[in-house]
Amino acid sequence: YSYTGRLEGIDWIVFWLDTAASVFLPPLILHFCLEFPFKRRFFREHYRVLFLLYIPGALLMAIWAMFVYGALDLDLIPSSLRFRERLETVGDVHFVVYLVASAGVLFWTSRTVRIADLRQQMKWVTRGVALGMLPYILRLSGLVPEMWLAFAILPLTLIPTSFGYAINRYKLAD
C-alpha cells in the first residue's frame, strides 16, 4: 500500500506503516542473514549486539516523526519539500547499505560453509539476492532509464523467492 498524499484518516496509518517498513525492513533482513542458515557463536553469546542494527532505522523514524509533527526547527531548513526529498534519499541509501551488507554476509557464509547441502542452498540464496538487488541499486544510482524505473523494483521479489526455494528444496524445515 501507499498513502495517497491527502493524509487524512487511514492515509496517516498507511503513511506510518510504509515509513516504518522502509526503515526497519533493511535491518531485519540483515539480522536474518546474520542468523541464516545457522546462528553464529558470536551472536549466541552477544545477542544484544543485534539490536544495534536497528539504531539507524530508529533514528530515521524519529527524524520522520519530528519532521511530520513539526518538532524540527523548520527555520533552519530552507525548504520542507527539499528536506523531505533528502529524508527519502537517506532512506534509500539506508536500504541499499543494509541490502549490500546482507548480501555480503550471505556470500561470506556461502564461502565458509562446509556441509554440501548448505553450500548448495547458499548458492541459490546468494544468486537470488544478487539478481534481486542489482536492478534496485542501478535504479538508485540513476543508471536505469526513467521508463524502466518501475520494473527495477520487480527483481526484488527474487530475494524471498530464492530463500523459499532453498528452504523447500533442501528440506531446512526438517
Side-chain angles (χ1 to χ4, degrees), residues 28-40 43 50 102-113 117-126 129 159-173:
L28 188 63
I29 291 171
L30 180 56
H31 184 161
F32 176 77
C33 291
L34 287 169
E35 295 192 13
F36 181 81
F38 49 82
K39 195 169 192 166
R40 287 154 180 83
F43 294 114
L50 289 171
S102 299
V105 167
L106 291 173
F107 280 107
W108 178 75
T109 302
S110 72
R111 295 285 182 210
T112 59
V113 74
D117 278 349
L118 281 180
R119 195 170 334 123
Q120 197 64 11
Q121 175 192 28
M122 293 307 297
K123 183 170 66 172
W124 277 100
V125 169
T126 54
V129 168
I159 296 171
T161 304
S162 65
F163 273 97
Y165 177 79
I167 288 170
N168 185 43
R169 172 77 169 93
Y170 297 100
K171 309 288 187 243
L172 282 185

Side-chain angles (χ1 to χ4, degrees), residues 7-86:
L7 295 175
E8 51 188 41
I10 197 153
D11 212 28
W12 276 112
I13 295 170
V14 173
F15 170 79
W16 285 116
L17 288 174
D18 183 50
T19 302
S22 68
V23 299
F24 291 118
L25 181 64
L28 188 63
I29 291 171
L30 180 56
H31 184 161
F32 176 77
C33 291
L34 287 169
E35 295 192 13
F36 181 81
F38 49 82
K39 195 169 192 166
R40 287 154 180 83
R41 185 172 10 132
F42 176 80
F43 294 114
R44 276 191 306 241
E45 296 170 3
H46 304 92
Y47 63 92
R48 292 183 181 156
V49 172
L50 289 171
F51 291 110
L52 297 176
L53 297 174
Y54 297 91
I55 289 175
L59 289 173
L60 197 53
M61 189 71 177
I63 292 170
W64 267 108
M66 290 188 305
F67 173 67
V68 168
Y69 293 115
L72 290 175
D73 187 8
L74 293 178
D75 295 334
L76 298 174
I77 302 170
S79 166
S80 60
L81 181 60
R82 206 170 258 170
F83 185 77
R84 181 174 180 249
E85 288 173 353
R86 287 186 182 152

